[in-house]
PDB file of all heavy atoms in Angstrom:
ATOM      1  N   ARG A  21       5.128  68.216  30.942  1.00  0.00           N
ATOM      2  CA  ARG A  21       5.277  67.044  30.091  1.00  0.00           C
ATOM      3  C   ARG A  21       4.775  67.281  28.659  1.00  0.00           C
ATOM      4  O   ARG A  21       3.688  67.765  28.456  1.00  0.00           O
ATOM      5  CB  ARG A  21       4.536  65.841  30.714  1.00  0.00           C
ATOM      6  CG  ARG A  21       5.170  65.339  31.990  1.00  0.00           C
ATOM      7  CD  ARG A  21       4.569  63.990  32.391  1.00  0.00           C
ATOM      8  NE  ARG A  21       3.115  64.031  32.323  1.00  0.00           N
ATOM      9  CZ  ARG A  21       2.338  64.396  33.350  1.00  0.00           C
ATOM     10  NH1 ARG A  21       2.861  64.737  34.490  1.00  0.00           N
ATOM     11  NH2 ARG A  21       1.020  64.398  33.199  1.00  0.00           N
ATOM     12  N   GLU A  23       3.718  65.115  26.623  1.00  0.00           N
ATOM     13  CA  GLU A  23       2.511  64.321  26.327  1.00  0.00           C
ATOM     14  C   GLU A  23       1.242  65.050  26.754  1.00  0.00           C
ATOM     15  O   GLU A  23       0.153  64.737  26.304  1.00  0.00           O
ATOM     16  CB  GLU A  23       2.604  62.960  27.000  1.00  0.00           C
ATOM     17  CG  GLU A  23       2.299  63.060  28.491  1.00  0.00           C
ATOM     18  CD  GLU A  23       3.050  62.102  29.383  1.00  0.00           C
ATOM     19  OE1 GLU A  23       4.246  61.889  29.123  1.00  0.00           O
ATOM     20  OE2 GLU A  23       2.434  61.573  30.296  1.00  0.00           O
ATOM     21  N   ASP A  27      -3.823  68.717  26.846  1.00  0.00           N
ATOM     22  CA  ASP A  27      -4.437  69.217  28.082  1.00  0.00           C
ATOM     23  C   ASP A  27      -4.038  70.651  28.331  1.00  0.00           C
ATOM     24  O   ASP A  27      -4.841  71.469  28.742  1.00  0.00           O
ATOM     25  CB  ASP A  27      -3.977  68.359  29.275  1.00  0.00           C
ATOM     26  CG  ASP A  27      -4.698  67.021  29.317  1.00  0.00           C
ATOM     27  OD1 ASP A  27      -5.930  67.067  29.377  1.00  0.00           O
ATOM     28  OD2 ASP A  27      -4.021  65.982  29.281  1.00  0.00           O
ATOM     29  N   GLY A 124     -24.461  64.628  23.666  1.00  0.00           N
ATOM     30  CA  GLY A 124     -24.835  63.606  24.631  1.00  0.00           C
ATOM     31  C   GLY A 124     -26.089  63.894  25.430  1.00  0.00           C
ATOM     32  O   GLY A 124     -26.238  63.474  26.552  1.00  0.00           O
ATOM     33  N   LEU A 128     -33.201  64.988  24.489  1.00  0.00           N
ATOM     34  CA  LEU A 128     -33.848  66.301  24.666  1.00  0.00           C
ATOM     35  C   LEU A 128     -33.631  67.203  23.462  1.00  0.00           C
ATOM     36  O   LEU A 128     -33.806  68.407  23.551  1.00  0.00           O
ATOM     37  CB  LEU A 128     -33.256  66.970  25.914  1.00  0.00           C
ATOM     38  CG  LEU A 128     -33.655  66.306  27.206  1.00  0.00           C
ATOM     39  CD1 LEU A 128     -32.744  66.707  28.343  1.00  0.00           C
ATOM     40  CD2 LEU A 128     -35.093  66.623  27.553  1.00  0.00           C
TER      41      LEU A 128
ATOM     42  N   GLY V  35     -28.713  65.085  30.943  1.00  0.00           N
ATOM     43  CA  GLY V  35     -30.023  65.216  30.285  1.00  0.00           C
ATOM     44  C   GLY V  35     -31.014  65.933  31.153  1.00  0.00           C
ATOM     45  O   GLY V  35     -31.686  66.869  30.735  1.00  0.00           O
ATOM     46  N   ARG V 227     -21.121  58.293  28.446  1.00  0.00           N
ATOM     47  CA  ARG V 227     -21.135  59.453  29.331  1.00  0.00           C
ATOM     48  C   ARG V 227     -22.006  59.193  30.543  1.00  0.00           C
ATOM     49  O   ARG V 227     -21.629  59.497  31.660  1.00  0.00           O
ATOM     50  CB  ARG V 227     -21.652  60.654  28.550  1.00  0.00           C
ATOM     51  CG  ARG V 227     -21.495  61.909  29.346  1.00  0.00           C
ATOM     52  CD  ARG V 227     -22.543  62.949  28.952  1.00  0.00           C
ATOM     53  NE  ARG V 227     -23.858  62.457  29.251  1.00  0.00           N
ATOM     54  CZ  ARG V 227     -24.975  62.989  28.772  1.00  0.00           C
ATOM     55  NH1 ARG V 227     -24.901  63.967  27.935  1.00  0.00           N
ATOM     56  NH2 ARG V 227     -26.144  62.517  29.090  1.00  0.00           N
ATOM     57  N   ARG V 258     -14.140  62.587  26.246  1.00  0.00           N
ATOM     58  CA  ARG V 258     -14.468  63.777  25.467  1.00  0.00           C
ATOM     59  C   ARG V 258     -14.566  65.039  26.318  1.00  0.00           C
ATOM     60  O   ARG V 258     -15.200  65.048  27.378  1.00  0.00           O
ATOM     61  CB  ARG V 258     -15.825  63.599  24.762  1.00  0.00           C
ATOM     62  CG  ARG V 258     -15.752  62.730  23.560  1.00  0.00           C
ATOM     63  CD  ARG V 258     -17.113  62.582  22.961  1.00  0.00           C
ATOM     64  NE  ARG V 258     -17.592  63.854  22.428  1.00  0.00           N
ATOM     65  CZ  ARG V 258     -18.746  63.942  21.778  1.00  0.00           C
ATOM     66  NH1 ARG V 258     -19.534  62.916  21.609  1.00  0.00           N
ATOM     67  NH2 ARG V 258     -19.127  65.102  21.318  1.00  0.00           N
ATOM     68  N   ARG V 295      -4.926  57.943  34.976  1.00  0.00           N
ATOM     69  CA  ARG V 295      -4.960  59.378  34.661  1.00  0.00           C
ATOM     70  C   ARG V 295      -6.002  59.650  33.588  1.00  0.00           C
ATOM     71  O   ARG V 295      -6.408  58.762  32.842  1.00  0.00           O
ATOM     72  CB  ARG V 295      -3.589  59.834  34.181  1.00  0.00           C
ATOM     73  CG  ARG V 295      -2.603  59.949  35.343  1.00  0.00           C
ATOM     74  CD  ARG V 295      -1.407  60.757  34.967  1.00  0.00           C
ATOM     75  NE  ARG V 295      -0.434  59.926  34.307  1.00  0.00           N
ATOM     76  CZ  ARG V 295       0.679  60.397  33.731  1.00  0.00           C
ATOM     77  NH1 ARG V 295       0.914  61.690  33.740  1.00  0.00           N
ATOM     78  NH2 ARG V 295       1.553  59.588  33.173  1.00  0.00           N
ATOM     79  N   ARG V 297      -7.226  61.928  30.219  1.00  0.00           N
ATOM     80  CA  ARG V 297      -6.860  62.834  29.138  1.00  0.00           C
ATOM     81  C   ARG V 297      -8.157  63.252  28.472  1.00  0.00           C
ATOM     82  O   ARG V 297      -8.973  62.379  28.061  1.00  0.00           O
ATOM     83  CB  ARG V 297      -5.907  62.156  28.180  1.00  0.00           C
ATOM     84  CG  ARG V 297      -5.650  62.808  26.859  1.00  0.00           C
ATOM     85  CD  ARG V 297      -4.609  63.898  26.816  1.00  0.00           C
ATOM     86  NE  ARG V 297      -3.726  64.095  27.952  1.00  0.00           N
ATOM     87  CZ  ARG V 297      -2.435  63.701  27.986  1.00  0.00           C
ATOM     88  NH1 ARG V 297      -1.885  63.115  26.976  1.00  0.00           N
ATOM     89  NH2 ARG V 297      -1.737  63.926  29.053  1.00  0.00           N
TER      90      ARG V 297
END
Side-chain angles (χ1 to χ4, degrees):
Chain A
R21 292 191 312 271
E23 78 213 41
D27 283 303
L128 292 162
Chain V
R227 188 207 64 195
R258 281 179 68 176
R295 285 196 275 173
R297 167 84 11 105

